[in-house]
Each structure stands twice: as structure tokens, then as C-alpha cells.
Amino acid sequence: MYQLSATCRMLREISAPVLFEYCKAILRQPACEDNLFPISLKPYIKSITLEDDCPELQLANGFHPEIRYSDDPAVCGVFSSSALSRALQNMPRLRKILVLCPFGVEHSLPWASLWALATLPNISKLNVNGFLLRPPDPIWDFPRRFEPTHLNSFIISLSWDEENYPSLPQARKAFSAFMVYLAPTVERMVLANEVVFPRALLGTRWPCLKELTLHGEASAPLEMNEPYMALLRSMPQLRRLHLQLVLPPKVDNPPIIWPEGVDIELPWPDLDSLILSHPRLDDKLYQNLPSHMQRLALCCAPYYYRWSWGPPAYIWYRSLRSRTLTSFELLDILRRCRLPHLRQLVIEFIADESEMELYKYISYAFPSIEQLSINIYRVRCNPCDIPVTQIATKLSSMRCLRSLQMHLGYQPAHELANFLADDGDIETSLTGIIENAAYALLNAFAPPLDTVTLLHPSYKSPRWRSYSTISGRHSGPMCGENELSRLWLGHEGTDPFDPFKHLYRL
């Protein structure tokens, strides 16, 4: 389209809103109108990424630049609040801003710079990735009034381990204070749990918040010696609650959302989606969920896992360092859920003698499920002995089911470091076994499922492969076979078996 737009002025004018709706700027010197975006493009830009490459960041990475724009190497010198605000004026379509620090070193945005971005006219989404926030100095210079008209989505991501951020406690106070100012208008927040300071948020009411996602370590809110419910009960409009938290090493007990002794009514009557990592058996939340809820994910992901580099390619390693529910324990939790309208269920467990009973209960208790995702872990199992036919029979009564995704447990995973096939012959034999399993699952349902997606373990590139029926005949792997992204993402990331990364969108 770019080449076509260069042929004549009329085509340029027609294609410009598409070609330039997203733009990216890498900042190596203080932002200003002359070095950010051309004036001619400003009317078309809807979303921008501002990536930091300032001298202070280079200094933190061990380089020695000749020019510096900040006296403190931990503070970004190119995000000048007044100049940045002027550079982003006169952009009537601008709605989304991502500010990105691409390296895993401590680097902070000045408070005034983040303030300038959040108060730009028409901005609805602000994403801060990899940055900490430097509070105003002195602390009492926090603004007394902050009511941005349009900002309704705020995202904070930290892609590196907490040990890389020695100033995190100070940044946590600054971010928490900033979020308090957003409370009257924000509708969606995605937060790294490490930057949440619960004591600062406990007394705040969030009248418009509809979606809250917390990721990162589960330990931070425990500092307030209060259950999560103490923080979450002030969000009456909440529709999606996604607590995708990791238990750090040496922490055995996951946090509880609704403990015994807390006698209140469900504070989110409109809740329709709950994603909960490391569910606890003694949590009162399950029996209080609204009956109209449509999505439920109860898993023990994401995980801490080890990453190794070596020939012939990327090698995945993982250790289930936190306790995973057995099928008996998961069945106990699901029996407390009264969700007849549930459309999507995502679960994972260690198989025990209650495995078949669990499938039977799912097919009986949740008749409206359309999308089902199950990760099964087996301590030791011959791939030929996995009861695929029994599983298919127990689930076959689910008449509304359209899509089934499963890791059937062909490779032992629990408490084993290497959980992928590292032998070519084993991998080849597993491929045949898994394809037979896909056909058995497809055969069991009437009407037939749209897709059955199974995980194929592989030493080089583990894959989810989808199988379907076409005109009553089985097809092989679909063209949309997905090779799993090979990324290392620390404690907020994913691995090939992470069920949260394969959630279907409702």
C-alpha cells in the first residue's frame, strides 16, 4: 500500500489514515515537535509507541555516552514533560500511547512526564512498559486534583525480575498515588503486582472499573495483612477479574481472595470472567460467583521456570515449583460453583483416581460450555495407556461444545526439569499417538466439534495443532498450526503449557 500511495496525491490522502494510524518513535534526545512526528502525519495517528534510548539508559547498560540529559542515570532524560506535551498536541485521532523501556535495568519516568501523557486530550489508553515512576520531590507536590476526561485504560508492565529494580518500593508509592487520581474514570487496569501499594488503594473507590488484571508475584499484597477482597470490594462495576499471579520460590501458600469469616455480599454482581492462578480449596469465592458468569479459568500457571540456551535450538525447561491441584481437589472446587451459563472453562490438574469423575461432572454441571481447555499432568505414564477413549466418552454429552483444547499429558511434567521430548524417535511416535487421540475425540461428539487442539511436545518447537472435520471426514492438522513463541519472560511470562496464553476470546 505504501508504494501505491506514492503514485498520486489522491491515493496518498485515501491511504494515509491506514498507513499512519500507528507510529513509533525511538527517543535518543529530549522529545520535541521537530524530532518526534512530522506535522503532516499528526492528523492520522491513532496509536504511538515512544521507545526510550536515552544516554542515561545507555549508561545503565555499561556504555559511556558523551552527552547526558539527566543528573541521575536511573531517571530518563528524554521525556521532558512540557516539550513532550507540546510535541503530541494537534493529534485529533490519538487515543493510545505506549512508553517503552526495552532493557531490564532500573529506569524511571519523571512524574511530570507521565502526568503530561495522561492529561493529553482524547487519550483513552496509556501503557507503561518497563519503567518505574519517580515521585515528585518533595512528596507533598503531588497534585491535589487530577481528573483526566478520557483516560479509561491504564497498563503497567515490568518484564524483568524485581531484583533489577532496587528503587521499587519508592516507585510503588508513586504509581499507587498516580492510580488513585485515575480512580474516578478508569475502566480497565492491567498492573504488575509489584507496583501496587495496597495500603494506598484500600480507601479508594473505583466507580467505573470494569476490568482488573494483576500479574507478577503474589507476595506483594500480603504485606497489608488483608485478603484481596479488602482491596477488590470497592470495585462495584467489575466484570472481569484476572489474577494471574506467580508464587515466588519458597512461598507455599497462594493468597486467598475471600477467606472464612468475611461475611459480605458479592461486591461484583456483574462479574462475567474470572481467571485465577493457584486457586485455594478454602476460598469462599467459588460458591459466591454469580450464576450468569461466562468464563472461568482455574489454573496454577504462570510458573517460574528455567531457561537454557544450547544446541540445536531453544530448549524449554520448567519446574512446577508450586503445588498443583489434583483432579480430586479441582472437582471439589467446581462442585461449589453454580454456573449453568458458563461458556468457557480452562483448568489444569495432576491426574489421580478422580480424573474420570471430574470429566463427568463438567459435562453435567456446565451444559452451556462452548470452549473447553484442559492441561493434564501425569507423574509417570506410558503414552499408549492414556485413557483417551474414556475421556472422550465422558465429555461427549456436552452438546454445546464447539472447541476442545487439551494437553493430554503424554510427557511427564510434574517435578521434572526436562518435560519435552528430546529424542527424535520418541517425538515421531508421540506424533502418531496424538493424532490418533485427536481423531478419537472428534469421533466422540455429535454434532462434531469445530476443532480439537492438542499439544505436541517437541525438543525444538512444541506446537499446538488443531484438527477438524470437513464434510463428515476428518482432516489433518489445520493450516493454522501455531508454533509456540520462544520467549523468555521471567515471572510474568508464559511457557508452552501455560493455559492462560491460549484462552479463547469470547
Side-chain angles (χ1 to χ4, degrees):
M1 184 180 287
Y2 178 80
Q3 289 82 358
L4 183 64
S5 69
T7 58
C8 73
R9 181 176 180 179
M10 183 177 69
L11 287 177
R12 262 198 312 276
E13 292 176 351
I14 294 174
S15 59
V18 178
L19 287 174
F20 304 112
E21 67 176 352
Y22 167 76
C23 292
K24 178 178 180 179
I26 299 177
L27 302 182
R28 298 184 175 92
Q29 58 187 13
C32 64
E33 291 187 71
D34 297 332
N35 67 5
L36 205 54
F37 302 109
I39 295 177
S40 60
L41 299 185
K42 285 188 174 183
Y44 309 115
I45 298 176
K46 296 175 63 177
S47 175
I48 61 174
T49 294
L50 304 175
E51 182 176 323
D52 185 16
D53 192 21
C54 67
E56 291 74 26
L57 188 58
Q58 298 173 25
L59 183 64
N61 278 292
F63 299 99
H64 300 282
E66 296 181 0
I67 301 176
R68 290 174 55 187
Y69 301 110
S70 173
D71 294 333
D72 187 344
V75 177
C76 181
V78 300
F79 281 90
S80 170
S81 58
S82 57
L84 183 62
S85 181
R86 288 195 300 270
L88 297 178
Q89 294 293 333
N90 301 317
M91 302 174 73
R93 301 183 71 205
L94 184 61
R95 298 293 183 271
K96 301 178 182 179
I97 298 177
L98 164 64
V99 288
L100 173 64
C101 179
F103 302 105
V105 296
E106 179 172 318
H107 206 53
S108 297
L109 277 177
W111 170 279
S113 299
L114 187 61
W115 183 284
L117 293 173
T119 53
L120 283 170
N122 301 326
I123 292 298
S124 62
K125 181 177 181 179
L126 179 58
N127 188 338
V128 181
N129 191 325
F131 279 103
L132 297 184
L133 181 62
R134 179 60 56 92
D137 190 21
I139 194 68
W140 52 80
D141 282 347
F142 280 125
R144 295 177 180 273
R145 180 180 176 84
F146 180 45
E147 297 180 1
T149 305
H150 298 285
L151 191 64
N152 56 34
S153 177
F154 185 51
I155 300 174
I156 307 173
S157 300
L158 295 180
S159 300
W160 304 82
D161 289 333
E162 186 172 342
E163 60 202 32
N164 290 351
Y165 299 108
S167 297
L168 188 58
Q170 185 183 25
R172 183 182 297 168
K173 294 180 180 179
F175 269 125
S176 297
F178 185 85
M179 287 185 286
V180 168
Y181 291 115
L182 301 184
T185 60
V186 70
E187 297 180 8
R188 177 175 182 255
M189 290 200 300
V190 181
L191 307 175
N193 207 37
E194 291 84 350
V195 305
V196 177
F197 192 63
R199 291 188 186 279
L201 304 180
L202 277 175
T204 305
R205 185 169 175 81
W206 307 82
C208 301
L209 190 64
K210 297 179 180 178
E211 180 176 341
L212 175 66
T213 298
L214 293 180
H215 58 78
E217 285 192 356
S219 56
L222 300 182
E223 298 170 2
M224 65 179 180
N225 296 318
E226 295 280 356
Y228 272 91
M229 185 58 73
L231 174 63
L232 302 175
R233 64 189 301 178
S234 59
M235 305 171 181
Q237 299 299 320
L238 203 62
R239 298 178 61 88
R240 297 194 170 199
L241 176 59
H242 300 166
L243 302 179
Q244 299 173 233
L245 302 172
V246 173
L247 288 185
K250 300 181 180 179
V251 175
D252 297 325
N253 293 320
I256 190 167
I257 310 301
W258 192 334
E260 292 289 342
V262 178
D263 297 321
I264 59 173
E265 292 185 1
L266 182 73
W268 331 291
D270 297 324
L271 189 72
D272 64 13
S273 176
L274 174 66
I275 300 176
L276 181 60
S277 59
H278 307 290
R280 282 181 52 154
L281 293 172
D282 57 344
D283 203 314
K284 286 177 57 179
L285 178 62
Y286 317 118
Q287 58 261 40
N288 288 290
L289 293 174
S291 60
H292 59 76
M293 210 172 75
Q294 298 190 29
R295 171 194 279 176
L296 177 64
L298 298 174
C299 304
C300 292
Y303 305 90
Y304 274 91
Y305 63 97
R306 294 178 293 144
W307 169 263
S308 295
W309 173 277
Y314 292 92
I315 306 172
W316 289 93
Y317 287 92
R318 165 175 153 214
S319 176
L320 301 184
R321 298 186 181 180
S322 58
R323 187 175 180 278
T324 306
L325 294 177
T326 65
S327 49
F328 176 81
E329 292 169 327
L330 183 59
L331 178 60
D332 179 57
I333 290 177
L334 292 180
R335 279 175 170 159
R336 284 179 268 159
C337 300
R338 298 292 182 264
L339 306 173
H341 304 291
L342 197 69
R343 294 173 53 199
Q344 181 180 4
L345 178 64
V346 182
I347 55 174
E348 69 173 356
F349 56 85
I350 299 172
D352 61 12
E353 63 279 359
S354 297
E355 181 183 357
M356 295 302 140
E357 188 178 356
L358 174 62
Y359 302 136
K360 182 179 179 181
Y361 183 78
I362 289 173
S363 62
Y364 163 75
F366 308 111
S368 301
I369 287 182
E370 299 173 5
Q371 300 163 343
L372 178 61
S373 180
I374 304 176
N375 277 4
I376 310 166
Y377 304 114
R378 306 179 191 278
V379 178
R380 291 291 177 189
C381 184
N382 185 327
C384 295
D385 294 335
I386 291 179
V388 176
T389 303
Q390 291 177 265
I391 294 173
T393 300
K394 297 295 183 183
L395 296 177
S396 62
S397 61
M398 302 179 71
R399 300 304 180 193
C400 294
L401 189 64
R402 308 271 28 99
S403 180
L404 175 63
Q405 177 178 288
M406 299 187 76
H407 163 47
L408 286 163
Y410 284 108
Q411 281 295 104
H414 185 55
E415 296 180 350
L416 294 180
N418 189 348
F419 67 101
L420 297 179
D422 58 1
D423 181 282
D425 293 336
I426 295 176
E427 186 175 330
T428 301
S429 65
L430 280 177
T431 297
I433 293 171
I434 294 173
E435 288 184 352
N436 289 335
Y439 299 145
L441 289 167
L442 284 169
N443 268 326
F445 290 84
L449 301 179
D450 293 338
T451 59
V452 168
T453 303
L454 301 180
L455 185 69
H456 285 240
S458 170
Y459 183 64
K460 296 180 181 179
S461 54
R463 297 170 183 265
W464 290 97
R465 290 183 179 174
S466 294
Y467 301 81
S468 67
T469 56
I470 301 176
S471 300
R473 300 182 62 184
H474 297 307
S475 69
M478 298 171 64
C479 295
E481 176 179 311
N482 296 319
E483 182 172 354
L484 296 160
S485 58
R486 294 189 290 265
L487 302 173
W488 75 274
L489 295 171
H491 61 265
E492 69 158 317
T494 184
D495 63 39
F497 291 75
D498 184 352
F500 292 149
K501 285 297 178 181
H502 302 282
L503 281 172
Y504 300 90
R505 299 186 68 87
L506 290 175

